[in-house]
Amino acid sequence: MSNRKTVLKSIIKPGGIASGYSFRGKINGVPNGNLRVIQLKDMENEYTSIGKECILIKGDTIKEKYYLEQGDLLFISKGGNNFALVYDLDDALPAVASSVFYVIKVDVSKADPYFVAWYINKTPVQQYFQEHATGTYSLSINKEVVENIPLQLPPLEIQLKIAKVAQLAQKEQYIYKTIKEKRAQLLEVQLLKSIN
């Protein structure tokens, strides 16, 4: 079975693309908040993971339809870095995404969310965004453009393998980067000691 050319809207659940929650003004955290808010500043490792320092709020006024589910794709729709990642934080704390994201619910019988995120972040789709972005100063990608993201879908078992290898490669890059930073810090300390 070969790759199938399609578009994103063909592999999502009904109503499966929605904007994140729109907060009015600045998001003010509260100690002991019961709802995590994922914002652009929480993206780490070149937009491939969510940091641990997300703001917590009291979520009493936010409807549960905005709550993220494991496997949801978070797509950055504003600015120049239009990347996707999979929401997979596994603690018990519920979360919502801010309106800088589209939340995309992939139908897992048709595609693997990790594969889809990986593919969206690659050059062919990134070029598609550059051609379809709107706005002069602050670029944004509208819902119709997101729905029509071009995808090459291999069979599901191949998608899973590609996604796994991509995740391992990303972890390897992160480890290399951390080692490089630690080595530079150690060298600096040793050099400073040598002149004291």
Side-chain angles (χ1 to χ4, degrees):
M1 211 170 125
S2 63
N3 291 354
R4 185 168 62 89
K5 283 190 174 186
T6 188
V7 293
L8 185 69
K9 65 184 170 188
S10 73
I11 58 150
I12 59 173
K13 296 174 182 172
I17 298 183
S19 189
Y21 187 80
S22 188
F23 290 89
R24 309 259 182 276
K26 189 176 187 302
I27 303 168
N28 294 311
V30 295
N32 307 320
N34 61 355
L35 185 64
R36 175 191 283 126
V37 179
I38 299 172
Q39 303 175 77
L40 191 55
K41 67 183 177 70
D42 299 314
M43 300 295 99
E44 291 184 346
N45 304 332
E46 286 156 15
Y47 306 97
T48 60
S49 63
I50 299 164
K52 302 277 185 266
E53 304 299 317
C54 299
I55 283 180
L56 300 180
I57 62 167
K58 284 257 182 278
D60 312 338
T61 59
I62 296 177
K63 293 188 174 105
E64 279 196 24
K65 70 173 186 174
Y66 289 104
Y67 286 20
L68 298 172
E69 296 172 1
Q70 290 275 337
D72 284 352
L73 276 188
L74 300 182
F75 172 74
I76 303 166
S77 63
K78 295 176 174 67
N81 297 307
N82 306 116
F83 296 115
L85 78 157
V86 177
Y87 173 74
D88 60 3
L89 297 179
D90 57 1
D91 55 28
L93 202 61
V96 293
S98 69
S99 59
V100 74
F101 298 100
Y102 278 114
V103 178
I104 301 166
K105 297 185 180 295
V106 173
D107 180 340
V108 293
S109 69
K110 296 179 179 175
D112 174 54
Y114 290 93
F115 172 82
V116 176
W118 171 81
Y119 192 81
I120 285 173
N121 297 343
K122 296 297 140 218
T123 306
V125 178
Q126 291 300 310
Q127 286 173 340
Y128 165 80
F129 294 142
Q130 287 169 9
E131 291 162 17
H132 293 85
T134 57
T136 314
Y137 300 109
S138 178
L139 295 177
S140 72
I141 307 292
N142 69 37
K143 188 175 176 181
E144 188 183 351
V145 170
V146 175
E147 287 175 336
N148 290 296
I149 289 172
L151 296 174
Q152 287 263 30
L153 283 186
L156 205 48
E157 65 272 15
I158 305 288
Q159 291 178 39
L160 293 167
K161 286 176 182 166
I162 289 171
K164 190 73 189 156
V165 170
Q167 280 179 305
L168 290 171
Q170 194 67 46
K171 278 184 184 153
E172 182 185 42
Q173 289 292 8
Y174 178 65
I175 290 167
Y176 275 142
K177 189 176 164 205
T178 307
I179 290 170
K180 192 176 170 187
E181 286 166 4
K182 297 282 183 214
R183 191 178 286 142
Q185 288 167 0
L186 184 63
L187 183 62
E188 185 177 311
V189 167
Q190 288 173 332
L191 290 173
L192 287 170
K193 269 186 188 171
S194 76
I195 59 172
N196 286 337

